[in-house]
Amino acid sequence: AMSGGAHIAGSAPVEMRVNQADLSRMLGASRSRVNAELKRMENARLLDIGYRSITLVDLTRLREIAGSEIFAF
């Protein structure tokens, strides 16, 4: 689940209420690999990791990294 829907099209942070185990299952990746990538992205100030939540902090940079082929919310 995500919060902050009124600002999804803008650049305000978007919180996703998901834990790392569920995210790893959704992605078909190991929890340790997902954890490492999330930490890398947190260190790059792209997102914040909280208790059972991930907040997308820099949507502009995340969209640039994802590329134009990815649906931008």
Side-chain angles (χ1 to χ4, degrees):
M2 292 189 295
S3 66
H7 303 288
I8 287 175
S11 59
V14 175
E15 179 184 18
M16 301 187 313
R17 294 184 188 129
V18 62
N19 63 43
Q20 293 179 24
D22 289 342
L23 183 59
S24 66
R25 281 191 290 274
M26 285 185 245
L27 296 171
S30 70
R31 187 169 183 259
S32 62
R33 181 65 186 134
V34 168
N35 183 308
E37 189 61 23
L38 288 173
K39 287 291 185 189
R40 185 190 69 77
M41 295 173 82
E42 185 176 46
N43 290 337
R45 301 180 194 265
L46 296 170
L47 51 84
D48 285 327
I49 302 169
Y51 179 72
R52 294 186 180 192
S53 70
I54 299 168
T55 303
L56 307 178
V57 176
D58 192 337
L59 291 175
T60 301
R61 283 181 51 212
L62 287 167
R63 287 181 185 125
E64 289 172 4
I65 292 167
S68 62
E69 299 297 315
I70 302 297
F71 172 74
F73 58 91

